Amino acid sequence: MKEQNKFSQSDDIRLDDNIKKILDSTFPLPEKVESAKKEAFEKVRVMATEKEKQNDTSTLTKERKSRKSDKKSIKALFKGFIGVGVAVATFCCIYIANPANPAFAAPIPIVGNIFEELEGSLRFAGDYANLAEPVQKAGTEIESITVNGNTITLSEVYCNETALYLSLMIHSEEKIPETQLDQDGKPIIYMKNLVDFDFDEEESIDWAIGGDPYIDGKMIDENTFAGVLRYDMRQYFSNKDIEVPDNFQVKLSVSQIAGSRVEDMSPEMPQELRAQYETGMKENGLGLTEEDYEQFTEEQKNIEHQLFSEMWNAYHEMYPETTQLINKYRDWLMDGPWEFEFDVTKNNEDVIRKDINDVDENGLGLISVTKTPMEITVEVEQNADYFVTILDADGNEMEEGGFTGYTCTVAANGHDTSKIDVYICDYIEYMDELKAYLWSEDYEELAKEKNFKQLLDERSLYHKEIIFDE
């Protein structure tokens, strides 16, 4: 039998069960990692362990989370900073940013017009240019701040009942390093931010708690990146029963900017730790090949897992920085701080909120629906047994942009939202059967007899039609 190379690259790392659950639940593997995964013995071991140790619900959770984009994965990982180990290495795609591409050149002055430049490509796309205001404090435009040759300029802000959107530009005196792109072809650049709202008693909040640290944007030239940050005001403040006023002030402290490197520079597994693992396997009569592992008993798999975990625990003790989401091995870094203060005026133009308050004693039902020019958010009782899905006026499922357990947000761009249909389904049934029906290769043929909406009408636990244009 051919012995597999188990330690060739950091991308080929096998993770313990907890890390593996996070990985598989949040982002798709790039091709180079997927290829290594198929060839490496350790990945086979992890996949087999997952199949046997995780229950059906965990598997379904993985499938559901895989629908989300890489930017949402980053947000989830920010909330679990320590202990994710090398997880972040696998969310990267194989593409390399080419900021010098003349197709990226902005046809208009970028500062003050970032929303106009980006709005069609944003995940939550919309007509920001006619809704946003220049970032100001007491009527004075915010000046750029430069630290160590790296400049951040806040450009425009738009805030409605649901979310706050902040456009900004990052300019470096040196060329911004080549950066991996996400599945939508956008550079994976994110910030470590603290934010303080003057109407909230808390002095500062990690932006990742309620916000998305990923900057949705693009390279303007090799030294300049423009993007938009989003903070979910509904998610954070509704949970605290705090009403967002029409006018408020924000303090934003950016401690670090990071971008995913094209190549992971994490140290390789030391030979002595590899040897300890292999010795332990041999002492327990366990082979080292892929074929060997497939024949292991449950007890033997537990032994192998323990030896593997001990090896990686020792590795992380030797290189503790590898356990952090942002680190010098996987990311290029720009260190701050950059400190800003600015005023915000809430703009509820074209925002429609409907209070439904139709919830039974089991938490099944709908509390409210809010439609903004960029998104639709439905609020439900927090219940892990249910899954919320939304269809547009044409019966097309709207892609989930964020789900917190009590709100579900979908992007409105590209959909007829004159009315929507909100369905609450049994979580497992949706993942196992209903979604599989929609995503089946022969759905077009199936839909001739029964389309997805008709299936949901039959199988959902709760359905509410919401008409906005009336």
Side-chain angles (χ1 to χ4, degrees):
M1 290 182 292
K2 182 180 178 181
E3 183 172 346
Q4 303 294 312
N5 178 4
K6 300 181 287 298
F7 305 100
S8 58
Q9 298 289 338
S10 59
D11 280 350
D12 299 338
I13 292 170
R14 291 179 302 155
L15 306 171
D16 65 28
D17 285 342
N18 289 334
I19 297 176
K20 187 64 168 63
K21 289 176 184 177
I22 296 173
L23 274 171
D24 284 347
S25 296
T26 53
F27 30 72
L29 295 175
E31 290 182 9
K32 67 176 182 179
V33 180
E34 194 65 55
S35 175
K37 176 180 176 183
K38 294 177 181 177
E39 299 173 357
F41 163 67
E42 60 265 32
K43 287 299 180 185
V44 175
R45 195 277 300 164
V46 170
M47 288 190 292
T49 300
E50 288 300 309
K51 288 180 181 178
E52 297 176 12
K53 288 191 174 183
Q54 294 183 20
N55 57 30
D56 291 340
T57 301
S58 296
T59 302
L60 294 168
T61 299
K62 175 181 67 176
E63 293 177 352
R64 176 191 179 194
K65 294 296 185 181
S66 69
R67 299 175 61 203
K68 296 188 177 182
S69 65
D70 291 336
K71 39 192 156 297
K72 286 297 173 188
S73 304
I74 297 169
K75 173 183 174 182
L77 284 171
F78 260 83
K79 295 181 179 179
F81 227 80
I82 303 301
V84 296
V86 295
V88 76
T90 63
F91 77 78
C92 301
C93 295
I94 64 172
Y95 305 106
I96 300 173
N98 182 13
N101 189 332
F104 286 129
I108 55 176
I110 190 66
V111 175
N113 297 282
I114 291 177
F115 278 128
E116 184 175 353
E117 174 71 15
L118 302 178
E119 61 186 14
S121 65
L122 295 172
R123 177 167 178 76
F124 291 98
D127 187 16
Y128 293 92
N130 291 322
L131 295 169
E133 297 291 339
V135 174
Q136 297 181 341
K137 180 183 178 183
T140 302
E141 291 191 7
I142 301 299
E143 295 182 357
S144 301
I145 297 178
T146 301
V147 179
N148 299 322
N150 301 309
T151 302
I152 296 179
T153 304
L154 302 188
S155 181
E156 306 139 289
V157 62
Y158 167 59
C159 181
N160 57 42
E161 184 174 325
T162 299
L164 182 151
Y165 300 87
L166 178 65
S167 68
L168 56 87
M169 185 178 72
I170 300 169
H171 180 81
S172 178
E173 293 178 358
E174 299 181 359
K175 178 182 176 181
I176 294 176
E178 289 183 327
T179 307
Q180 295 202 19
L181 306 185
D182 67 14
Q183 64 186 18
D184 297 321
K186 300 177 182 180
I188 301 173
I189 297 177
Y190 37 102
M191 285 181 167
K192 290 177 65 177
N193 298 336
L194 291 177
V195 61
D196 178 20
F197 300 95
D198 67 354
F199 59 86
D200 184 9
E201 294 182 357
E202 296 184 48
E203 293 186 358
S204 62
I205 308 165
D206 188 326
W207 184 277
I209 304 176
D212 190 345
Y214 173 92
I215 311 174
D216 189 358
K218 70 178 183 181
M219 300 298 299
I220 302 302
D221 56 45
E222 64 182 17
N223 298 80
T224 310
F225 172 82
V228 174
L229 282 170
R230 178 182 181 275
Y231 196 88
D232 196 324
M233 306 293 281
R234 167 69 61 80
Q235 174 185 320
Y236 185 79
F237 291 109
S238 292
N239 193 38
K240 293 179 172 292
D241 196 26
I242 297 175
E243 183 176 352
V244 179
D246 291 336
N247 298 280
F248 56 94
Q249 190 174 94
V250 178
K251 293 181 180 179
L252 180 68
S253 176
V254 181
S255 59
Q256 193 173 63
I257 304 168
S260 294
R261 293 183 184 275
V262 172
E263 295 185 15
D264 188 336
M265 307 299 291
S266 298
E268 293 188 359
M269 178 65 66
Q271 180 60 43
E272 61 269 24
L273 297 184
R274 304 181 192 181
Q276 290 175 15
Y277 168 81
E278 294 178 353
T279 298
M281 292 285 285
K282 292 176 181 178
E283 289 176 349
N284 285 277
L286 303 178
L288 296 172
T289 67
E290 176 180 322
E291 293 81 1
D292 289 333
Y293 182 78
E294 292 175 345
Q295 302 301 318
F296 286 174
T297 64
E298 183 66 27
E299 181 180 0
Q300 289 173 325
K301 289 178 180 179
N302 288 336
I303 292 172
E304 191 277 339
H305 175 69
Q306 180 62 33
L307 292 170
F308 174 78
S309 297
E310 290 174 356
M311 177 180 66
W312 279 103
N313 287 339
Y315 174 88
H316 292 314
E317 287 180 5
M318 295 177 65
Y319 306 106
E321 193 175 67
T322 59
T323 65
Q324 300 175 4
L325 173 62
I326 299 177
N327 67 67
K328 63 182 180 181
Y329 300 120
R330 294 187 300 271
D331 305 285
W332 55 258
L333 306 173
M334 298 178 182
D335 291 322
W338 297 265
E339 306 281 351
F340 297 95
E341 293 186 32
F342 57 94
D343 300 322
V344 177
T345 298
K346 196 164 61 173
N347 183 346
N348 280 333
E349 181 180 348
D350 295 327
V351 173
I352 302 172
R353 176 184 170 90
K354 290 181 177 287
D355 293 315
I356 310 300
N357 295 321
D358 180 23
V359 182
D360 65 20
E361 65 276 6
N362 297 316
L364 181 64
L366 194 57
I367 297 174
S368 68
V369 178
T370 303
K371 174 185 174 181
T372 79
M374 287 76 189
E375 59 198 64
I376 293 176
T377 297
V378 301
E379 184 179 0
V380 297
E381 291 287 350
Q382 190 165 5
N383 192 317
D385 295 332
Y386 301 146
F387 182 85
V388 178
T389 189
I390 302 173
L391 305 188
D392 66 13
D394 297 319
N396 298 317
E397 187 177 41
M398 302 178 72
E399 182 182 0
E400 183 182 322
F403 190 84
T404 67
Y406 61 92
T407 64
C408 177
T409 299
V410 293
N413 184 53
H415 293 276
D416 180 351
T417 58
S418 56
K419 84 173 185 71
I420 61 172
D421 287 275
V422 181
Y423 294 91
I424 301 178
C425 306
D426 176 84
Y427 186 86
I428 294 177
E429 181 182 16
Y430 181 86
M431 291 299 167
D432 261 354
E433 302 175 27
L434 306 182
K435 185 185 74 171
Y437 185 89
L438 176 63
W439 288 11
S440 62
E441 292 183 359
D442 57 346
Y443 173 72
E444 290 186 4
E445 288 300 316
L446 293 173
K448 294 178 181 178
E449 297 293 328
K450 181 184 298 182
N451 62 31
F452 188 56
K453 184 181 188 307
Q454 292 169 328
L455 181 66
L456 291 177
D457 287 336
E458 292 180 1
R459 304 277 290 275
S460 65
L461 303 175
Y462 176 90
H463 170 222
K464 178 72 73 172
E465 181 185 72
I466 307 296
I467 300 175
F468 291 107
D469 294 351
E470 63 175 2

